[in-house]
Amino acid sequence: MANPVLKPVAGILVLGALFALPRFVDSPYALHMMILLFMSISQGQSWNILGGYAGQHSVGHAAYFGVGAYTTMMLMHAQQVAPWLGAWAGVGMVAVVALAIGSICFRLRGPYFVLASIAVAEILRLSAINLTGLTNGAEGILATDLPPFKIGATVITDFSTKVPFYHAGLALALATITITYGVQHSKLGYFLQAIREDQDAAHSLGIPISRYKNIALVLSAALTSLAGSFYGVYVGFVDPPTVLGLDVSVQIMLICIIGGMGTLWGPVLGSLVLVPLSEALRSNLITEALVKAGVVNADSRTGLFLKENLSHAHVLLYGVLVVLVILFMPDGLMGFFRKLASRRQREAV
Amino acid sequence: MAILEIHKISKFFGGLAANSDVSFSVEQGAIMGLIGPNGAGKTTLFNCITGYYPPSRGDILFDGQRMNGLEPDKVCMLGMVRTWQKVRPLPKLSVVDNVMVGALARTSSLKTARALAMEQLKVVRLEHRAGFLAGGLPIGERKKLEVARALATQPKLLLLDEVMGGLNPAESEEIIQLILDIKARGLTQMVIEHDMKAIMRISDRIVVLTSGEKLMEGPPQEVVSNPEVISAYLGESHA
Amino acid sequence: MAVFMQSFLSGILIGGVYALIGIGLTLIFGVMRIINFGHGDILMVGMYLTYVLFTWLHIDPFVSVLITFPLMFLFGGFLQKVFINRVLHAVAQNQILLTIGLGLVMSNTAMLIFTSDYKILTTSYSSSTLQVGGGVTVSTPLLISFAITAAVTAALYWFLLKTDTGQAIRATAQDREAAQLMGINVKRMSILAFGLGSALAGTAGALISPTYYIFPQVGGGFTLKAFVITVLGGMGSVVGATLGGILIGITESLSAVYISSGWKDVVVFVLFLLVLLFRPSGLMGKSRT
Ligand SMILES: Nc1ncnc2c1ncn2[C@@H]1O[C@H](COP(=O)(O)OP(=O)(O)OP(=O)(O)O)[C@@H](O)[C@H]1O
Ligand SMILES: [Mg+2]
């Protein structure tokens, strides 16, 4: 990759291929997987700005994901507001929530931010259950009728296939990657990392700590909100556990832990590992493969047990992965690859 | 003209008076030495001056402006910056990135900041380490990194807390030269140091603290020949 | 007034169990400076243990505490020795993440074994009540569990205050390095603390199992409640956690009656945020300068 022309050319080729992919692949399942991948990347990148760069480990990002998703869906369902407009209302709501959290939590050190971030997400989840008039409570909001997307009078798409979602997801993922790149290569990125590494030292070097933490929080929350809006509209349904539950927060964080926090490509790597793995578990692909390979008999007790339970096991897998990564790869896959690379370099010398 | 005036600064931790009624002023361009036995309250005084925590009582005037209760970042932007006795590098950032963080206090351009940072690394002779992770440096180089990073914020007054602590004689000599170079550029400095020979060589005036109080203040010669200082400070540390 | 007394009293009774959970968390935090995000899941393990003992061996849940306590102690010691110990000196977020991960493993393993169905442990006295007078009644299992809680807490205080090991644990909690210099085996204290913390959480699980639904995800809510309790009482303070637990019990019980049961957890979390905002060192802790 020493050639300076190679990198941008390779990048443009990959982008072009990604953009054109739906022309060649028409399996809805493959597109669905790609869309999940894009969403996961967007979630991971968003969390990464606050957690990876600024070192403020939010375990409550479901709050922003959920508020974004709910705002967009409620506006679409009750007021017929197009989701690409409603999503911005979601961003506004989330910014308010984030600033409120920031002003409470960032004056405190240590574990308090983590605790408060969870508490806020829980308050919102419980509120969504209880405010039945507004959110339809535990039943959630079902809204699948999207207005056609027009520019001027031309209808660009009427959302009858997964392709427009694919492109929207791709755009969102690229936007979050680009924004993270911009953060990393700016004063903001340096200041956030300085805060992460040593808050007192950073403060003494002229960095207004609270202001920068709040900037990171609002940026991170706003992007997470967009990912939430996208999720709601794509699935056509939101309810409290699926967009506001603690699992959601953990999963968002996990993308970065596995890939590598505070790195540009960490969330991408993490998504590439997590999304296929959990989808394979969820859809019983693994059991089917085992049956096909003759390892287990489909009608035996083990086979039935696997079929019954493996689809619930993806969260167990999250847990096992977190434990393994923290114990053996605390800097995630990116850190692991870097270590490998530097070892190879040393051996070459 | 005094750039820094300290009026009756006191700092209490519970019942302990880490500083009590300390007053002195530092002349523009001078080097003020600050000595005293362990636990005398030297670092506490730096902490109060730079806003790490507010003094319990007293006034701090910097460049004619009252500084009490200002946050450390404001203090830095007004031109006062400190190094830490127990060094605080940003371990997972490279050496040059560490110094750039300091430089970015005054500019938003990464290019300018990088150039400024490299310049400061040359000043402390650490440019060959620019790409290394700060967390992996040996102690001598970490101390230099502290100084380079502080200088990059373009201060008017630099507060150095035991930058020679834990260094070998050759490294200490390098730091002494560095401090004198910085002085030659017109910067004012306050220096905490235990090594009497070093502090004698670099200081224009010296303040002696014991148990939080100012024991005396004067030019180096006067301070070392003062019998009270000898018994209170030297006597103890040589025992 | 009877309604008020009624809910106030049951608040105190359930608060006793909360105190047990909070004390466990605060002990672990005090000695290791680690916030155990898997605390509620340990409680969940205690619940299932009680459930299994009851349905298979017909051991009364309150009697089973005698088995649950030592088993959960061993379980906690094992967790500390095999997992937590490796991150004692790691950055805080890795410690947090590790305990989150362990919690997920526990709850999802329970789901694989027991499925996600809600289980109910029905004893002969599960729904019986006692007249206290003035029209106020209390649930019998709640009353028994409070009595056991009080006994366990008293024993714990005695252990921490009067025995050498207990004092060593407190010394470690106060200042780990100083304790090490004084010749205290800090590693052993950490295992003990995690074991004790888990035993307390497991005991709490056993005590509530006659009155609560048992399901794999039950722990999450208790973890959060334990945080609220420990922050309220000042992190690391055993006395604070005891009082904090009871306070949370009362708050919850009163808001269930006077606001609505759907909002009672929200009230608790809002209270938590208010404490963070105005008294981050906790209601019992010293205020910061
Ligand atoms: N944050 C604090 N809380 C409580 N006591 C403190 C705190 N900081 C310092 N002290 C106490 O104040 C006194 C002065 O400490 P300080 O660090 O200022 O001394 P020093 O002169 O810098 O010593 P040394 O030469 O060892 O660096 C000591 O007794 C110390 O224990
Ligand atoms: Mg000192």
Side-chain angles (χ1 to χ4, degrees), chain C residues 49-81:
Chain C
L49 190 59
T50 312
Y51 175 79
V52 166
L53 288 172
F54 180 76
T55 41
W56 292 1
L57 303 174
H58 308 292
I59 300 177
D60 182 90
F62 292 129
V63 178
S64 75
V65 166
L66 293 172
I67 304 169
T68 317
F69 190 95
L71 277 184
M72 292 306 290
F73 179 86
L74 292 178
F75 180 60
F78 162 81
L79 287 182
Q80 145 69 21
K81 202 162 162 75

Side-chain angles (χ1 to χ4, degrees), chain A residues 57 107-108 111 115 118 122 130, chain C residues 35 37 93 224 227 262 277 280:
Chain A
H57 299 91
R107 305 179 312 146
L108 304 167
L115 297 181
I118 300 179
E122 276 299 288
N130 285 302
Chain C
I35 306 184
F37 277 75
Q93 78 263 13
L224 290 175
F227 292 159
L277 193 55

